[in-house]
Amino acid sequence: MIQISIDGTPHNVAAGDRLIDAINRAGVPLSQVCYLPILGPIQTCDTCIVEVDGKLVRACSTVTSAGMNVSTTASRAHAARTEAFDRILRNHDLYCTVCDNNNGNCTVHNTTKLLAIEHQHYPFQPKPYEVDNSNPFYRYDPNQCILCGRCVQACQDLQVNETLSIRWEDPHPRVLWDGGAPIGESSCVSCGHCVTVCPCNALMEKTMIGHAGFLTGFSKPVLGSMIDVVKGLEAETGYTTILGVSEAESAMRTTRVRRTKTVCTYCGVGCSFDVWTKDRHILKVEPAEGPANAVSTCIKGKFAWDFVTNKGRLTKPLIREGDRFREATWDEALDLVARRFGEIKAGHGPDALAFIASSKCTNEEAFLMQKLARAVVGTNNVDNCSRYCQSPATVGLFRTVGYGGDSGSIHDIEQADLVLIVGSNTAESHPVLATRVKRAHKLHGQKLIVSDLRENEMAHRADIHLRATPSTDIAWLCAVARYILDEGLAHSDFLSRWVNGLTEYRRSLEPFTLEFASKTCNLPVETLKRVAHMIAEAKSVCVLWAMGVTQQSNGSDTSTAISNLLLVTGNYMRPGTGAYPLRGHNNVQGASDHGAMPNMVSGYQLVDDPEVRARFRSAWGVDLPASKGLDNHEMVDAIHHGQLRSMYLCGEEMSLVDSNSNYVGAAFRKLDFFVIQDIFFSTTCQFADVVLPASPSLEKEGTFTSTERRFQRLYQVFEPLPGSRPDWVIIQDVANRLGAGWNYRHPSEVMDEVAGLTPMFAGVNYQRLEGYRSLQWPVAADGSDQPLLYTRNFAFPDGKARLYPLAWREPQECRDSEFDLHLNNGRLLEHFHEGNLTYRSPGIHEKTPDTFVEVSPELARSRGIDSGSLVQLTSRHGRVRVRALVTDRVQDGELYMPMNSTTSPVNLLTGSHTDPATHTPAYKETSVRMEVLARAGESPLPRINHRFGHPTPQSGVEVERKWRQPGYRFPGELVQIETKREA
């Protein structure tokens, strides 16, 4: 720490801090139009000029040093800031009272007031450009754009989509997309970063326009007349009076515009933000304080909330009568559920029933679902959709380090010297997390290795892209680990102090030579050596993996191999290191954490542990079943075998997301009684006997746990749609119809019960999660958490990690002469899972209206396929018809099909073979043949899809180009010249 003086008052600051941050922490008011801490110094606005030791400098780009004497009140500094802001107002037409952005947070408005601007020295100069409305979610008005460059900086160096730029050399500079394309035809992914950081109304959500203000809904001619009147008054009254009127109108808005914090309902990154609403209209999503995302969002989190107000929402319980459903009252539906559950339990025993919790629902709801199964019905037949994706990763970590979760935070991934991504299309599946990797790689020299069948965005950016033979990642991972050990590159001190099992593990690696891996994976030996040296020589390594690994028949062993490699190289127990299995759904981590598993109650406590059962017996007053129940994959087989008679499925499109959909659908038809709880009538609902209308996350309270083990609260934005109920209420209603006697009045009471029964969550409560506060488990009773795991020991009795021996197994389904193509599948940036939510967003539907299959140019030429050709894919399990998209993202012999379709679901093609340790389906081991049905046709991706755009990478806003323009001069220089003249 050093001491500096700000306006005559001493302040202790960290040496090398940005001066502007020190001034802001000191609470000294200072204008700063272009500065945001997360973006760093952009230096385009010049409104933060201060005097430091007699010299005028920009506070944003000046770092603190001992003894620095700073004056924000010096007349020269104030004059320079005023001059700089006057130049800005030349680019912006002030009409705050009738602006939808007049909500107390407009930087231009607030700076006008802070600097006490009464009249503009430089009059407003319109630019010769039209408003760009071509993006379905937001618009850009060049005439309101102040050219601060925040949006460009965010796009280039935070989101790193590299779409936006400013050509400073133009006579009339403006923000450009792909160098000058319409927004809707550019590489813009609609992440919303640019809109969020815009300091005025130049970039604005279309859902805001005409809705936010009391006077903003008028037609353009009327608004134009009102603006002219206001501008006419400015010359006589000055801005103070006009701003007073606009601030009064802004204050009035608070009576009808609510801002409510929530957590995103899509992927597992755990973005949180405020949702702005007026009645049931969502005005916008505003991220700022989220511990995982700050100002970042993706297209779904920022814009894809239309489903909440969609007219297709279920609002009444439905009961099957023959081949049709009829509406019913809640009492009738609940009575029927209780009666049939009771009859089946009485006739066939509790294990004839099964329960599946939703990974879209809250932690509290997952806990209640497993409590209903175990304490009320008496079965351990309970699971969640982590079985389809992340269970192998959890097993791999249980085997080696003891906890089944990310070993650090997203911040650790940012800090890593090297990031290895295996089987994860991170930029599309976990886009906000990917921005942190892209930023570190672009700006801070982080190395990036990607192993993936496709050249996805992260693979395209990588220093090394490995395209291993499908389902062979375990071979090269083990071979690299063996090479590191054989060559003396391992972290021997770490191994000797912190790791058990080295001798047996090394013996298991004997078959995994580099030559074996090269032949098995079709990767050059020299490439594998380079990968090994990069990993061994990096100061810190994080490994990210997802469904490309876990959905192999070797999924658990491959996940184990990743953790083994990290142990061999000493990449645990330090910031910037560790294992990061990226969770797919918003609460897939939390659903498992809270006991929706067949062999564990909350906090991964085993059901066959007598001490665990005794603790729950004491709290619940019942004996819990001691033997492992059925997981959701086993449940389907049990239905076919007549052992399972009834199922209660919460918030999951299981008939489409489980593998071998035909087999799953056939099982559901055999159920004696099937209850589904959802917000829409999904494809799976057609098999139900009762459908119960639930409420989405914006209509309830609770907590989610993100991929980084982070508990976060979500608050109720809307009242539940009349007729629907929050899932925790419905589960309690069912339990009480079965005689449970539960009396939870709020989800906080459920969490208190969880904490009391679960040592891992002992200190979790709603008070400690107030607002944007969060906790990363394990959480001690005093509320202390562990953002970075294993800083003191590993989660085994002796505190040491365990190297786990592995063996090679061939994939269970391979190509042959009949099924000659490998079909890969996975997520798509703009849609989520099967698309039940995102297809209800008109903007997303416009950009990506249907699914497709990616075909390489080589394969397309050999088969006579063009983009738009209709093809039939046939596997050993089923067939689908889908349009082809020719792209070099895949290579010859490989196909890729997004999972985002209810009409052509990819799981009609996948089989029932699984990872033996977890029964996670081997979705990625699917072979097909392809027949061309129609060679001509419309491309499944419209030309307005961002994948056809052409990014324009550069380093931030490139402000130096602005400074080089003939008309630019640093305001401080002008003030100094004027001062000398006066002297």
Side-chain angles (χ1 to χ4, degrees):
M1 300 297 292
I2 60 173
Q3 190 173 90
I4 67 173
S5 170
I6 302 176
D7 295 335
T9 303
H11 293 272
N12 292 320
V13 301
D17 264 6
R18 296 175 193 149
L19 177 56
I20 196 168
D21 291 336
I23 293 171
N24 289 338
R25 283 196 299 270
V28 176
L30 178 68
S31 57
Q32 46 199 281
V33 171
C34 72
Y35 181 70
L36 281 177
I38 197 168
L39 299 180
I42 303 175
Q43 304 184 79
T44 54
C45 74
D46 296 331
T47 61
C48 66
I49 292 173
V50 296
E51 188 177 87
V52 176
D53 299 329
K55 184 180 178 181
L56 296 181
V57 298
R58 299 180 186 93
C60 65
S61 57
T62 302
V63 297
T64 57
S65 60
M68 177 182 279
N69 186 15
V70 181
S71 173
T72 68
T73 59
S75 59
R76 295 191 311 148
H78 184 271
R81 293 195 297 269
T82 303
E83 165 67 19
F85 190 64
D86 233 333
R87 298 176 186 179
I88 286 172
L89 290 181
R90 179 169 50 192
N91 287 310
H92 184 81
D93 199 6
L94 276 171
Y95 52 81
C96 305
T97 307
V98 293
C99 175
D100 283 293
N101 199 52
N102 182 40
N103 301 291
N105 59 349
C106 176
T107 303
V108 173
H109 177 286
N110 296 341
T111 305
T112 304
K113 182 179 180 181
L114 176 65
L115 293 176
I117 303 294
E118 289 294 346
H119 304 286
Q120 291 179 225
H121 180 69
Y122 304 109
F124 168 63
Q125 295 181 354
K127 304 180 189 75
Y129 307 115
E130 296 295 321
V131 174
D132 190 334
N133 279 299
S134 60
N135 182 279
F137 304 109
Y138 69 91
R139 66 100 176 99
Y140 171 60
D141 186 348
N143 267 325
Q144 293 302 99
C145 178
I146 62 173
L147 298 175
C148 67
R150 279 192 190 181
C151 59
V152 176
Q153 195 83 7
C155 185
Q156 290 286 343
D157 289 353
L158 180 58
Q159 157 69 8
V160 198
N161 204 56
E162 302 174 316
T163 298
L164 273 61
S165 63
I166 297 174
R167 195 158 46 230
W168 295 104
E169 298 78 9
D170 285 351
H172 302 280
R174 55 154 288 175
V175 176
L176 302 172
W177 279 253
D178 286 3
I183 301 172
E185 299 174 21
S186 73
S187 59
C188 171
V189 294
S190 301
C191 64
H193 281 70
C194 61
V195 187
T196 294
V197 302
C198 181
C200 58
N201 62 338
L203 286 159
M204 190 181 296
E205 301 86 346
K206 289 184 174 179
T207 47
M208 283 279 286
I209 298 172
H211 292 283
F214 281 84
L215 304 173
T216 59
F218 294 111
S219 65
K220 274 190 174 182
V222 174
L223 279 176
S225 300
M226 295 170 69
I227 292 169
D228 290 340
V229 170
V230 173
K231 300 300 286 185
L233 293 172
E234 182 262 332
E236 181 177 345
T237 65
Y239 279 134
T240 299
T241 301
I242 295 173
L243 293 182
V245 174
S246 68
E247 287 171 1
E249 194 268 350
S250 174
M252 290 168 58
R253 296 184 187 189
T254 61
T255 63
R256 63 177 187 175
V257 174
R258 295 180 65 232
R259 307 179 191 187
T260 312
K261 183 249 183 175
T262 193
V263 182
C264 188
T265 194
Y266 286 106
C267 83
V269 172
C271 296
S272 53
F273 32 69
D274 282 354
V275 180
W276 290 36
T277 56
K278 186 176 75 173
D279 301 323
R280 285 193 71 89
H281 176 72
I282 297 175
L283 292 165
K284 70 171 178 175
V285 161
E286 184 180 49
E289 303 176 56
N293 61 304
V295 301
S296 296
T297 45
C298 74
I299 180 175
K300 298 183 291 293
K302 180 72 172 176
F303 297 115
W305 295 91
D306 308 78
F307 70 89
V308 176
T309 53
N310 187 274
K311 293 181 179 179
R313 284 273 307 275
L314 292 171
T315 57
K316 291 185 178 180
L318 303 175
I319 293 176
R320 176 185 294 279
E321 289 188 346
D323 294 331
R324 296 176 176 272
F325 288 89
R326 66 169 177 85
E327 294 180 349
T329 65
W330 272 102
D331 284 339
E332 183 184 10
L334 292 169
D335 286 344
L336 175 60
V337 170
R339 177 171 61 82
R340 294 294 288 127
F341 279 179
E343 291 170 352
I344 291 167
K345 177 181 177 179
H348 304 280
D351 288 336
L353 292 92
F355 300 80
I356 297 180
S358 173
S359 297
K360 306 300 293 175
C361 290
T362 64
N363 290 321
E364 294 78 7
E365 289 161 343
F367 181 81
L368 291 184
M369 183 63 97
Q370 63 89 35
K371 183 178 181 180
L372 169 63
R374 292 184 164 111
V376 181
V377 174
T379 181
N380 281 324
N381 293 343
V382 60
D383 208 355
N384 72 89
C385 81
S386 67
R387 189 68 48 194
Y388 300 138
C389 53
Q390 286 301 318
S391 290
T394 302
V395 166
L397 295 177
F398 277 153
R399 289 170 171 176
T400 54
V401 289
Y403 281 134
D406 287 6
S407 47
S409 303
I410 294 172
H411 183 60
D412 287 288
I413 299 172
E414 291 181 84
Q415 291 184 75
D417 191 42
L418 182 149
V419 167
L420 169 61
I421 300 176
V422 189
S424 167
N425 183 3
T426 316
E428 299 203 53
S429 299
H430 302 88
V432 169
L433 187 151
T435 67
R436 289 6 185 191
V437 178
K438 292 192 289 184
R439 186 184 202 196
H441 185 254
K442 179 178 180 177
L443 301 182
H444 306 305
Q446 185 181 82
K447 300 299 182 184
L448 178 61
I449 301 172
V450 173
S451 176
D452 202 281
L453 301 178
R454 298 170 70 233
E455 189 181 29
N456 57 45
E457 181 183 346
M458 302 308 284
H460 179 73
R461 293 178 178 274
D463 299 286
I464 297 179
H465 175 202
L466 305 174
R467 270 180 147 151
T469 301
S471 298
T472 64
D473 293 290
I474 186 176
W476 73 260
L477 286 162
C478 287
V480 164
R482 174 181 166 168
Y483 178 82
I484 288 172
L485 286 164
D486 290 348
E487 296 297 311
L489 300 173
H491 198 310
S492 54
D493 291 343
F494 182 87
L495 287 170
S496 61
R497 181 178 180 187
W498 290 112
V499 185
N500 290 324
L502 179 59
T503 301
E504 186 178 1
Y505 171 67
R506 289 195 73 154
R507 191 179 303 120
S508 77
L509 292 180
E510 288 180 6
F512 291 100
T513 63
L514 290 181
E515 291 71 23
F516 169 77
S518 177
K519 180 181 178 181
T520 302
C521 305
N522 194 28
L523 296 171
V525 168
E526 289 306 312
T527 300
L528 294 174
K529 286 183 178 179
R530 185 183 169 203
V531 168
H533 281 279
M534 287 179 68
I535 293 172
E537 294 164 11
K539 296 176 183 177
S540 56
V541 178
C542 290
V543 183
L544 284 54
W545 75 103
M547 296 187 297
V549 168
T550 60
Q551 292 178 343
Q552 303 174 9
S553 57
N554 282 317
S556 292
D557 286 355
T558 307
S559 300
T560 306
I562 288 171
S563 190
N564 283 339
L565 179 59
L566 287 165
L567 290 170
V568 165
T569 54
N571 278 296
Y572 277 110
M573 308 187 86
R574 294 179 288 121
T577 65
Y580 297 84
L582 304 181
R583 308 306 192 181
H585 284 265
N586 58 299
N587 205 40
V588 72
Q589 179 74 54
S592 297
D593 291 348
H594 287 77
M597 301 182 74
N599 61 331
M600 297 175 181
V601 290
S602 55
Y604 302 100
Q605 302 173 90
L606 293 168
V607 296
D608 61 3
D609 184 332
E611 291 185 10
V612 171
R613 292 201 311 280
R615 184 184 312 124
F616 279 78
R617 183 191 310 116
S618 175
W620 290 351
V622 296
D623 289 317
L624 301 189
S627 57
K628 174 189 175 296
L630 299 173
D631 61 48
N632 52 16
H633 194 74
E634 293 172 316
M635 290 174 191
V636 175
D637 286 335
I639 297 169
H640 279 293
H641 297 148
Q643 299 164 348
L644 193 64
R645 303 285 184 141
S646 182
M647 180 181 286
Y648 185 179
L649 175 66
C650 182
E652 186 177 306
E653 183 73 287
M654 189 170 171
S655 68
L656 299 183
V657 302
D658 200 350
S659 61
N660 200 349
S661 292
N662 290 318
Y663 182 71
V664 176
F668 288 164
R669 292 186 183 93
K670 293 181 179 180
L671 283 169
D672 291 350
F673 189 64
F674 192 10
V675 179
I676 294 181
Q677 192 165 300
D678 214 322
I679 62 174
F680 293 107
F681 192 88
S682 65
T683 300
T684 309
C685 286
Q686 67 182 313
F687 301 103
D689 294 287
V690 175
V691 179
L692 301 175
S695 303
S697 61
L698 294 192
E699 296 177 1
K700 58 189 173 186
E701 298 206 356
T703 61
F704 291 152
T705 305
S706 70
T707 189
E708 51 180 356
R709 300 173 285 105
R710 187 184 298 279
F711 279 90
Q712 297 184 93
R713 278 187 68 176
L714 51 142
Y715 293 81
Q716 184 174 304
V717 177
F718 298 125
E719 287 296 318
L721 203 63
S724 70
R725 296 181 181 179
D727 293 86
W728 70 271
V729 173
I730 302 173
I731 297 167
Q732 177 165 255
D733 289 340
V734 171
N736 287 341
R737 284 298 206 286
L738 292 168
W742 296 354
N743 188 31
Y744 302 106
R745 294 162 296 179
H746 189 267
S748 61
E749 298 174 350
V750 181
M751 183 53 67
D752 290 342
E753 181 175 320
V754 172
L757 289 167
T758 316
M760 185 184 287
F761 309 143
V764 179
N765 60 52
Y766 274 38
Q767 290 72 38
R768 288 179 174 143
L769 297 173
E770 189 72 33
Y772 280 89
R773 295 165 65 190
S774 64
L775 295 166
Q776 291 174 266
W777 64 251
V779 184
D782 64 2
S784 57
D785 64 346
Q786 293 188 38
L788 181 65
L789 292 178
Y790 318 123
T791 54
R792 295 183 293 274
N793 55 266
F794 289 93
F796 290 115
D798 64 356
K800 289 189 175 184
R802 302 171 180 176
L803 286 164
Y804 191 92
L806 297 168
W808 166 251
R809 287 195 314 272
E810 293 286 343
Q812 294 185 31
E813 181 174 308
C814 299
R815 287 175 276 193
D816 58 22
S817 57
E818 181 180 2
F819 301 101
D820 58 330
L821 301 172
H822 176 261
L823 178 67
N824 190 12
N825 63 82
R827 300 203 190 282
L828 201 63
L829 170 67
E830 54 269 55
H831 281 297
F832 191 80
H833 223 51
E834 73 291 329
N836 272 347
L837 305 183
T838 49
Y839 276 115
R840 289 176 165 86
S841 168
I844 291 179
H845 193 275
E846 175 187 341
K847 289 280 189 180
T848 312
D850 203 355
T851 193
F852 49 85
V853 60
E854 291 185 348
V855 179
S856 70
E858 300 86 357
L859 186 60
R861 282 193 294 270
S862 68
R863 304 282 179 102
I865 294 172
D866 295 312
S867 287
S869 296
L870 182 65
V871 301
Q872 180 169 280
L873 303 179
T874 304
S875 73
R876 297 174 176 91
H877 318 285
R879 62 173 57 92
V880 299
R881 293 184 174 188
V882 64
R883 296 209 172 270
L885 180 71
V886 180
T887 172
D888 57 7
R889 284 189 289 270
V890 292
Q891 57 187 8
D892 199 20
E894 294 286 339
L895 304 173
Y896 179 83
M897 186 173 169
M899 62 177 66
N900 317 109
S901 177
T902 57
T903 55
S904 298
V906 70
N907 285 321
L908 288 173
L909 301 172
T910 56
S912 295
H913 46 293
T914 67
D915 167 52
T918 62
H919 298 142
T920 297
Y923 296 94
K924 301 300 187 280
E925 295 174 13
T926 301
S927 301
V928 299
R929 64 173 181 264
M930 182 169 62
E931 304 164 64
V932 182
L933 303 179
R935 299 191 184 280
E938 186 176 346
S939 173
L941 277 186
R943 296 302 301 182
I944 59 172
N945 187 278
H946 71 269
R947 291 169 180 81
F948 296 111
H950 300 282
T952 52
Q954 62 182 46
S955 179
V957 77
E958 295 188 348
V959 68
E960 295 84 0
R961 290 166 53 198
K962 173 183 178 178
W963 297 342
R964 288 196 295 265
Q965 294 313 297
Y968 175 80
R969 198 160 189 176
F970 178 55
E973 293 179 15
L974 295 176
V975 169
Q976 287 167 346
I977 291 171
E978 291 298 323
T979 302
K980 288 178 181 178
R981 284 175 180 169
E982 291 173 5

